[in-house]
Amino acid sequence: MPDKLEDIAPFDLVVFGGTGDLAHRKLLPALYHREQDNLIPEGARIIAVSRRPFSDEQYRDWARENLKEHLSEPCDHILERFLNRICYVSVNVRENLGWQDLSAKLAGFENRTRAFYLSVSPDFFGPICAALGEHNLVTENCRVTIEKPIGKSGTTARLLNETIGAVFKEDQIFRIDHYLGKETVQNLMALRFANVLFEPLWNAAHIDHIQISVAETLGVEGRGGYYDTAGAMRDMVQNHLLQLLCLVAMEPPESMAADSVRDEKLKVLKALKPLDPASVETNTVRGQYRSGASSEGGAVKSYLDDLGAKSSQTETFVAAKLEIANWRWAGVPFYMRTGKRLAKRVSEIVIQFRQLPHSIFPATAGQLASNKLVIRLQPDEGVKMQVMIKAPGPGNMRLKEVPLDMSFAEAFQVRNPDAYERLLGDIIRGNQTLFMRRDEVEAAWNWVDPILEQWASDPRPPRGYTAGTWGPSSSIALIERDGRTWHDDENECC
Ligand code: NAP
């Protein structure tokens, strides 16, 4: 059911890190769009919190300027209506200052939905939650949202979960993974569970293998300080890629209720076959970009130069082969890859079906390609099914592979909402279906931790790859030694 204004009661959304990169690039534009769609009720307030000493007016000026930069055609009167809901409070978390001001701002509004969004360094998650508890700002109808990364390992994630759990109940904690808010990711569930067509084929008997690729063309872009402490495994695989894998591989949940979906995702994570040190060597590849060319052709610097460092063991690329040890997926490899400064910006899931058991067609008809379902998350969200048809025209039977292609932008002439719009709406409504539960996060670390430990004990640096390529050649070898290749749209027939 689409969001309806009358279903949303006035709320207070408190955004810690209101002057940060995520707030100005994603959160404020997403909230503006909700305003534009008339989905923010009269009286709802957005309270931006950061360290710098802004007045409400100064913050609104700052926000206005940033929104004009990030929105394509903002409407002046909607923008002003939106800005008028925003006020600003200065809190210095490190110095423990400003909490009284925040308490005063929230006083008298205890009965409405109160949502805290922690868009700040993860080091502040614990201290902010503790301070919210100490100042009695956690109400019955309250929620807290935290951004990735949730911990740097299973141990630190558990500690963080416990610290937050001491103040908020699990059904008040929204661990955001914005990939889950993408239209196509939700469409993956619709495709699987709203059609009779796919589910009978969705298993080892019919699927040869699955690929999940999240490729970026950008480098670390001024976020090198954070990135160098994380790397691609912690920044992308532990959360986004494993979450996508869960949605592809999970059993049909009982319903779309948050815990039904999350129970099924958890079973997938628990069934991931752990990699011992020898299989880390054979089943994973870590790389780091060297200088090269951007996707537009200009020269780009190496990771080390971007970072301004002489050396770093941090991986900017990961490829891995995973196995899910259960009845549905036994023997079906899942190949994943993600990296920065790759050849093309693309995120997609590829379901490669098995070959036909027997061909009735003569050799002159041409080669039979197996069916393939490609679910594109970005840049052009859509679904494509590769099928075999008879090539048109007289003469002998000739077979041709063609795509049944559906681009969502073309199919629906509506604006494609950003994932944060959907997720912010869910936070206000209290719907946790698209948010990670504590046990999921910890189960994902259980698979990731041994790999990180093995890499940390290996003195060899990550394999270098030239910026603007598809990563180290060993990532190509990882899949090709199984007689398979990474999907590349440009090599597909049309
Ligand atoms: P950022 O640009 O570095 O912003 C940090 C924010 O924290 C600023 O608003 C800053 O306020 C505030 N801050 C710093 N020290 C503070 C203190 N002592 N007390 C109170 N506030 C303080 O960070 P970001 O990139 O927006 O990231 C925010 C969170 O989102 C992080 O957890 C990050 O890992 C996660 N995340 C970010 C992205 C992204 O694309 N940026 C993507 C995914 C996840 P002042 O400006 O007043 O100093």
Side-chain angles (χ1 to χ4, degrees):
M1 199 166 58
D3 286 348
K4 281 207 230 125
L5 183 63
E6 51 272 29
D7 296 338
I8 309 168
F11 57 82
D12 281 348
L13 172 64
V14 183
V15 182
F16 284 89
T19 53
D21 177 71
L22 188 72
H24 85 81
R25 277 192 316 108
K26 291 290 181 183
L27 304 180
L28 289 175
L31 289 164
Y32 167 86
H33 282 300
R34 288 193 71 82
E35 179 82 56
Q36 186 182 40
D37 293 346
N38 207 19
L39 290 172
I40 304 193
E42 198 55 46
R45 303 187 302 169
I46 296 162
I47 303 167
V49 178
S50 278
R51 180 175 43 177
R52 66 186 80 170
F54 270 160
S55 64
D56 288 347
E57 236 8 87
Q58 281 171 315
Y59 183 78
R60 286 182 194 141
D61 290 344
W62 177 90
R64 184 182 293 107
E65 216 167 286
N66 279 297
L67 281 165
K68 283 187 172 164
E69 185 190 325
H70 287 287
L71 297 169
S72 59
E73 281 170 17
C75 162
D76 281 345
H77 83 268
I78 297 175
L79 183 58
E80 290 314 310
R81 191 173 79 208
F82 173 62
L83 291 170
N84 277 330
R85 308 184 173 280
I86 308 184
C87 52
Y88 181 84
V89 179
S90 170
V91 171
N92 190 325
V93 179
R94 207 180 289 285
E95 310 284 326
N96 206 14
L97 295 171
W99 293 106
Q100 307 297 350
D101 297 338
L102 183 60
S103 301
K105 189 66 81 185
L106 291 171
F109 292 90
E110 287 75 10
N111 291 333
R112 54 166 59 183
T113 296
R114 182 178 287 179
F116 296 106
Y117 196 118
L118 309 193
S119 178
V120 287
S121 155
D123 295 344
F124 289 151
F125 293 169
I128 291 177
C129 289
L132 293 175
E134 280 161 28
H135 291 85
N136 294 321
L137 297 178
V138 180
T139 55
E140 203 43 46
N141 200 8
C142 195
R143 344 196 180 300
V144 66
T145 301
I146 55 171
E147 273 285 348
K148 72 166 189 187
I150 299 171
K152 288 192 71 188
S153 64
T155 309
T156 51
R158 269 185 289 279
L159 263 176
L160 181 61
N161 281 330
E162 264 154 39
T163 310
I164 299 172
V167 180
F168 291 92
K169 292 182 274 186
E170 183 59 31
D171 65 5
Q172 296 180 313
I173 305 173
F174 286 64
R175 296 177 189 83
I176 202 164
D177 183 325
H178 70 272
Y179 268 59
L180 300 188
K182 287 182 184 286
E183 285 285 300
T184 330
V185 174
Q186 291 161 64
N187 244 310
L188 177 58
M189 284 199 267
L191 206 66
R192 285 192 61 192
F193 304 128
N195 294 287
V196 75
L197 210 60
F198 296 109
E199 205 46 30
L201 306 178
W202 212 261
N203 54 50
H206 300 285
I207 292 179
D208 176 76
H209 74 277
I210 291 176
Q211 299 180 16
I212 301 177
S213 297
V214 177
E216 298 175 76
T217 51
L218 296 176
V220 283
E221 310 299 308
R223 296 189 76 219
Y226 153 72
Y227 194 85
D228 202 50
T229 63
M233 183 62 106
R234 290 187 177 93
D235 190 51
M236 298 297 292
V237 177
Q238 191 275 340
N239 36 68
H240 304 319
L241 277 86
L242 287 181
Q243 283 291 318
L244 294 180
L245 174 122
C246 286
L247 293 179
V248 174
M250 70 182 183
E251 294 300 314
E254 202 177 287
S255 71
M256 279 296 281
D259 279 338
S260 298
V261 174
R262 300 188 305 175
D263 286 347
E264 296 307 331
K265 288 198 289 164
L266 179 66
K267 285 184 204 161
V268 174
L269 291 166
K270 284 185 166 173
L272 280 177
K273 212 164 150 186
L275 297 186
D276 59 23
S279 33
V280 170
E281 182 67 27
T282 50
N283 288 6
T284 70
V285 174
R286 58 180 173 141
Q288 191 184 85
Y289 63 83
R290 299 199 193 108
S291 58
S294 72
S295 47
E296 288 88 37
V300 291
K301 293 198 262 186
S302 68
Y303 175 69
L304 293 180
D305 287 341
D306 276 346
L307 203 63
K310 282 209 166 58
S311 73
S312 166
Q313 290 285 99
T314 301
E315 77 286 353
T316 61
F317 177 94
V318 174
K321 176 180 168 184
L322 297 84
E323 286 173 71
I324 300 175
N326 65 16
W327 272 55
R328 188 187 279 262
W329 297 115
V332 178
F334 286 70
Y335 301 95
M336 285 182 171
R337 62 176 171 173
T338 182
K340 292 199 173 286
R341 285 273 184 246
L342 297 184
K344 199 162 73 176
R345 175 175 173 258
V346 61
S347 297
E348 63 191 10
I349 299 167
V350 178
I351 317 289
Q352 176 70 64
F353 290 91
R354 287 192 185 280
Q355 287 188 337
L356 287 178
H358 167 71
S359 171
I360 62 166
F361 301 101
T364 49
Q367 261 210 317
L368 277 170
S370 332
N371 298 124
K372 192 188 273 190
L373 180 68
V374 181
I375 300 156
R376 271 190 319 263
L377 275 55
Q378 59 190 23
D380 170 27
E381 295 196 42
V383 175
K384 184 166 80 170
M385 179 86 203
Q386 295 284 133
V387 292
M388 297 302 297
I389 60 151
K390 174 193 168 296
N396 291 333
M397 169 70 87
R398 277 165 296 117
L399 296 168
K400 188 173 163 53
E401 188 185 15
V402 292
L404 298 179
D405 199 347
M406 189 174 87
S407 152
F408 294 161
E410 284 168 25
F412 307 101
Q413 303 287 319
V414 291
R415 185 180 63 81
N416 196 357
D418 184 78
Y420 279 96
E421 286 177 50
R422 160 76 199 242
L423 296 172
L424 283 162
D426 284 353
I427 293 165
I428 299 301
R429 274 193 305 265
N431 179 355
Q432 289 184 305
T433 303
L434 299 177
F435 295 81
M436 295 177 290
R437 204 169 56 192
R438 172 180 180 160
D439 47 8
E440 280 181 79
V441 174
E442 293 176 9
W445 279 117
N446 287 345
W447 184 79
V448 165
D449 273 345
I451 302 172
L452 289 172
E453 280 159 25
Q454 178 59 22
W455 285 351
S457 69
D458 184 344
R460 291 172 298 173
R463 291 166 194 269
Y465 62 95
T466 306
T469 66
W470 279 109
S473 55
S474 41
S475 131
I476 298 173
L478 173 84
I479 190 165
E480 289 194 347
R481 69 167 183 251
D482 293 343
R484 301 175 173 113
T485 49
W486 290 111
H487 170 75
D488 181 357
D489 244 353
E490 272 153 31
N491 293 337
E492 297 287 327
C493 69
C494 47

